Amino acid sequence: MNLLDSMSIREKDLWGELLIDVLVALYYFPKVFALMAQGDTMLRGGEMADLVISTIVLAIVVSIVVFGAIHRKGEAEDRDERDLQFEAQGNLLAFRVLYGFLVLILGQIVMWEYFSPSDLDALLTEAGPLVVGHMILLAMILTSMVKAAVQLFQYRRSVTGG
Amino acid sequence: MGKVLPISNNIRRLRFEANEMTQAQLAEKVGVTRQTLHAIEAAKYSPTLELAFKIAAVFEVQLDEVFQYHKQKPDA
């Protein structure tokens, strides 16, 4: 059984989800961090709006291409017990990862409130909520990656036994 | 190499004896994907009890004629 034959539709979908998460993260967050470094007005300006729109377009285009290729034969597949078991394992670890990120974010908010470096004062005062929002968004994307990765690891292990 | 499951099976032989039933055909009969059935047959995935009984019912044999449990030796 070659590599693609060894993958169910569900597993191929997960590879697609992971690929999209990685591409979106690699495209979006470096640019956002660069805008943050320029000061708070950049987070509210046209550049930010352009970045959001271009990221959404990128995600949609890549999704159409990737999932179109995966489902080109029109195959449909209900989740079976193995899919549900692996999904539950992915959800469990993803929940713990997300919880950890939220604790870190809360801790960072407290740190900023009482110990913020002076060079961050303007950014945090004017765009603090946006900064926190981006931290939460980053946590959500990383959690989604973890969920997909855990499931994919289980799928591959159930094929190779490694 | 990875964890060795303590359950082996005769699914491949039973499929051959059942008019050379394919993995896809058996998978469809018991309601799982072909890949899941392949993983079960290769002893890389342990099915639920319900699925194990369904597989046995397809071949019209008892459960222990399909799956065999090998008690693992405790670690020294």
Side-chain angles (χ1 to χ4, degrees):
Chain A
M1 182 182 276
N2 65 38
L3 181 61
L4 287 180
D5 282 343
S6 73
M7 293 187 192
S8 63
I9 296 295
R10 175 63 184 157
E11 187 180 354
K12 291 174 186 173
D13 281 343
L14 286 169
W15 280 111
E17 288 178 21
L18 184 60
L19 174 65
I20 291 167
D21 285 344
V22 170
L23 287 176
V24 167
L26 289 177
Y27 177 78
Y28 183 76
F29 286 103
K31 296 182 189 306
V32 164
F33 294 148
L35 287 176
M36 285 184 186
Q38 295 176 45
D40 65 285
T41 55
M42 291 300 104
L43 286 182
R44 296 169 183 269
E47 286 185 57
M48 187 67 208
D50 290 343
L51 176 59
V52 170
I53 291 171
S54 64
T55 302
I56 292 172
V57 170
L58 172 68
I60 291 172
V61 169
V62 173
S63 294
I64 290 172
V65 171
V66 170
F67 292 115
I70 291 172
H71 295 274
R72 68 184 184 282
K73 294 180 182 178
E75 298 164 326
E77 208 173 71
D78 292 332
R79 292 178 190 176
D80 64 13
E81 62 173 51
R82 188 176 66 135
D83 297 328
L84 294 173
Q85 178 182 325
F86 291 167
E87 185 176 1
Q89 291 170 346
N91 283 338
L92 179 61
L93 186 58
F95 170 78
R96 291 172 177 168
V97 167
L98 182 61
Y99 196 90
F101 273 124
L102 291 177
V103 169
L104 286 175
I105 292 170
L106 285 172
Q108 189 65 64
I109 291 171
V110 171
M111 292 293 290
W112 284 340
E113 181 67 22
Y114 295 104
F115 305 107
S116 63
S118 58
D119 56 347
L120 285 181
D121 277 348
L123 176 64
L124 296 177
T125 300
E126 298 298 323
L130 289 176
V131 172
V132 172
H134 278 100
M135 292 171 68
I136 293 172
L137 181 61
L138 178 60
M140 289 170 64
I141 290 180
L142 290 175
T143 300
S144 177
M145 288 186 202
V146 166
K147 180 181 172 182
V150 167
Q151 293 178 78
L152 290 170
F153 172 76
Q154 294 294 350
Y155 277 113
R156 290 294 93 203
R157 194 170 76 158
S158 73
V159 171
T160 62
Chain B
M1 187 64 173
K3 183 180 178 181
V4 177
L5 297 179
I7 300 175
S8 61
N9 64 80
N10 299 318
I11 296 174
R12 186 182 178 88
R13 176 179 61 79
L14 289 166
R15 281 196 300 110
F16 182 79
E17 292 174 354
N19 212 18
E20 298 185 8
M21 183 187 298
T22 64
Q23 284 185 342
Q25 289 170 332
L26 177 56
E28 186 175 355
K29 287 179 184 292
V30 298
V32 297
T33 63
R34 180 176 59 84
Q35 289 79 12
T36 294
L37 191 67
H38 177 81
I40 293 171
E41 201 170 293
K44 299 294 191 300
Y45 172 76
S46 290
T48 59
L49 197 57
E50 180 180 353
L51 178 57
F53 273 110
K54 283 183 179 179
I55 293 172
V58 168
F59 297 120
E60 298 179 345
V61 297
Q62 297 298 310
L63 189 62
D64 58 357
E65 292 183 54
V66 184
F67 296 98
Q68 298 80 43
Y69 177 70
H70 306 283
K71 187 176 181 181
Q72 290 178 315
K73 295 178 183 178
D75 293 335

